[in-house]
Amino acid sequence: MNILLLGSGGREHALAWKLAASPLTDRLVCAPGNAGIAREAECVALDIADHAAVIAFCRANRIDFVVVGPEAPLVAGIVDDLEAAGFKTFGPSKLAARLEGSKGFTKDLCRTANIPTAAYERFTSAEPAKTYVRRQGMPIVIKADGLAAGKGVIIPQTLAEAEAAIDMMFEGGLGAAGAEVVVEEFMVGEEASFFALCDGETASPLASAQDHKRVGDGDMGPNTGGMGAYSPAPVMTAEITARTMAEIIVPTLRAMKAMGAPYKGVLFAGLMITKDGPKLIEYNARFGDPETQVLMLRLMSDLLPALIASRDGQLKSFDLRWYPDSALTVVMAANGYPGEYKRGSVIGGLDAAAEIEGVEIFHAGTKADGNKILANGGRVLNVSALAKTVTEAQARAYLAIDRIEWPEGFCRRDIGWQAVKREKSGG
Ligand code: AMP
Ligand code: GLY
């Protein structure tokens, strides 16, 4: 088959790595890709926001199956457009992608379907939102309704900060994403990322992971797109996983189908495991980044037939196999990230790093210049490792990182610390 993968991050490199290994793949093309993906696939400079250009490329290149990585094209309806043009595509329709594209939509769905989540209200202007915040008191969470590239959630320290966040959103600080605001209860617990593959009818649990969103060691400093992750998440016991499926994922699928927007693709639930059980923080309509890097390392089965079964509504009799091992990934980012950073510095030592047993390096913001690999983004590399324990996977990843020569970059030195602590204390 001829496969087209859309995207250019570490998530897409991990997907490309698995798709390239499938015996069903004849040709793998990635748009736009990066320097690491270029080792697994042909990279083409297509603007994936231009759906007509993507369709024309599929026609000209006899593409049999399209896999969409990031959320923006999904929310913009690229799956609907490709399918209407006759191209089989993995991912949710525009209506189904509202689970990520509108937090208000998802909260209302939770209310109707009785799915455990934080108590909330939706607002379209500042004054009623502020009145609600004052009535609820602190702590509280303020969220922009739409896609805001990770900047749409504010957890204020004071009432004044809460009111300022509401004003910022309604004054257009996050563009159209902030035209509506959700104010919700602050939940206490341990977070986990949970992934299920869906075909509109059936949900098949994939695996769990935990990511580290803060830029600094000890989970300090500003939020980022994710500085590292590991899988499985120890907090996702068999019992919590079963409850997540029964109380959150399955009712969501049923509700989406009932409203005529059946959900196909990967459903990524951001969960808070509270003392009362799992509660939904938010949904994403795609694979996680950097969670996919650890999921793909642990996936034993061929990924491609699973994605096709999701698209074709054939997941019912599908079984995916996973290595019982732990996977861990450490993100290397350009100095300054998540603030301002420079592009174009040279990264050395990648081949020596990749020689370490169990290690795979997935690229995010990189580009090739002859034989050189240059940094070309904020999050640049995902140094990933598979091993029997998280402790060992962590040791392997950092051993690899110590072979990478890139003074213009940095990483956290404590990715996986909660799981390592659990392993050291014997469970
Ligand atoms: P994201 O939407 O991925 O930028 O991340 C939002 C982050 O904010 C989550 O990962 C949580 O850490 C936190 N968060 C969001 N909603 C809540 C909530 N209701 N209670 C507590 N923490 C929250
Ligand atoms: N790692 C969180 C995300 O992909 O949104």
Side-chain angles (χ1 to χ4, degrees):
M1 297 176 73
N2 295 333
I3 315 291
L4 174 65
L5 171 65
L6 302 181
S8 62
R11 163 182 54 212
E12 286 76 21
H13 189 182
L15 293 173
W17 178 72
K18 279 300 278 183
L19 292 172
S22 170
L24 298 173
T25 301
D26 295 309
R27 183 174 173 219
L28 178 62
V29 184
C30 184
N34 62 38
I37 295 174
R39 295 184 185 175
E40 318 284 351
E42 292 165 51
C43 292
V44 294
L46 256 182
D47 175 8
I48 63 175
D50 182 350
H51 299 185
V54 175
I55 290 167
F57 180 88
C58 289
R59 281 216 179 90
N61 291 274
R62 300 177 178 280
I63 296 297
D64 300 300
F65 193 62
V66 184
V67 178
V68 185
E71 62 275 19
L74 294 169
V75 171
I78 197 162
V79 173
D80 311 64
D81 292 345
L82 280 162
E83 288 279 351
F87 295 102
K88 292 188 177 195
T89 306
F90 171 77
S93 67
K94 182 174 182 166
L95 283 179
R98 281 180 296 172
L99 284 176
E100 175 160 6
S102 168
K103 295 200 193 304
F105 170 82
T106 299
K107 297 298 289 190
D108 285 355
L109 180 131
C110 288
R111 189 174 274 167
T112 311
N114 223 350
I115 293 169
T117 188
Y120 75 102
E121 279 313 320
R122 300 173 70 167
F123 299 96
T124 50
S125 62
E127 276 320 311
K130 290 185 192 171
T131 306
Y132 179 77
V133 166
R134 282 194 289 266
R135 206 170 55 224
Q136 295 298 311
M138 304 294 289
I140 199 102
V141 183
I142 317 285
K143 300 185 172 184
D145 179 72
L147 292 186
K151 298 191 181 76
V153 176
I154 293 178
I155 302 179
Q157 300 300 320
T158 62
L159 200 56
E161 263 181 57
E163 297 195 4
I166 291 168
D167 282 332
M168 178 277 286
M169 289 183 189
F170 283 117
E171 282 160 12
L174 298 172
E180 189 180 326
V181 166
V182 172
V183 180
E184 66 178 41
E185 168 204 356
F186 179 83
M187 297 187 288
V188 177
E190 187 169 345
E191 278 184 58
S193 303
F194 181 76
F195 298 85
L197 200 57
C198 306
D199 69 359
E201 189 92 30
T202 301
S204 171
L206 290 176
S208 64
Q210 262 164 331
D211 79 349
H212 293 264
K213 289 201 163 78
R214 304 301 192 96
V215 74
D217 283 13
D219 294 318
M220 305 295 276
N223 255 330
T224 69
M227 293 302 291
Y230 55 95
S231 172
V235 68
M236 293 302 290
T237 58
E239 187 220 329
I240 295 289
T241 302
R243 284 189 63 182
T244 300
M245 287 301 291
E247 296 169 21
I248 298 177
I249 305 289
V250 171
T252 298
L253 236 61
R254 208 178 293 135
M256 293 302 288
K257 190 178 168 221
M259 72 171 75
Y263 189 91
K264 292 182 174 192
V266 61
L267 188 56
F268 165 0
L271 301 174
M272 189 70 84
I273 313 306
T274 70
K275 62 175 176 28
D276 302 322
K279 292 190 178 181
L280 183 71
I281 300 176
E282 62 174 6
Y283 273 131
N284 295 308
R286 50 169 174 86
F287 279 105
D289 190 343
E291 289 94 333
T292 305
Q293 290 79 314
V294 284
L295 254 53
M296 291 304 113
L297 275 183
R298 291 189 55 227
L299 180 60
M300 189 189 294
S301 305
D302 190 352
L303 175 68
L304 183 54
L307 302 187
I308 295 172
S310 154
R311 186 279 174 194
D312 288 345
Q314 300 290 333
L315 277 178
K316 200 172 229 145
S317 52
F318 217 84
D319 194 23
L320 282 174
R321 303 267 158 144
W322 299 84
Y323 293 109
D325 304 30
S326 297
L328 180 138
T329 187
V330 180
V331 170
M332 297 189 80
N335 291 339
Y337 175 82
E340 303 239 333
Y341 54 83
K342 292 201 184 86
R343 294 170 197 259
S345 52
V346 178
I347 304 167
L350 287 170
D351 291 338
E355 274 170 16
I356 291 168
E357 192 188 344
V359 167
E360 283 295 329
I361 299 174
F362 297 118
H363 291 215
T366 64
K367 78 174 186 193
D369 176 16
N371 285 333
K372 284 198 258 191
I373 300 289
L374 307 183
N376 191 38
R379 290 191 294 171
V380 172
L381 296 169
N382 303 264
V383 182
S384 316
L386 189 68
K388 290 274 173 269
T389 62
V390 181
T391 308
E392 208 180 320
Q394 187 198 54
R396 285 178 174 181
Y398 283 115
L399 206 59
I401 281 176
D402 291 338
R403 291 190 180 179
I404 295 176
E405 295 143 26
W406 184 35
E408 296 84 358
F410 75 98
C411 67
R412 281 183 57 166
R413 298 297 311 192
D414 65 344
I415 298 302
W417 65 268
Q418 303 97 320
V420 169
K421 200 164 112 190
R422 266 197 180 95
E423 281 178 357
K424 291 218 162 107
S425 69

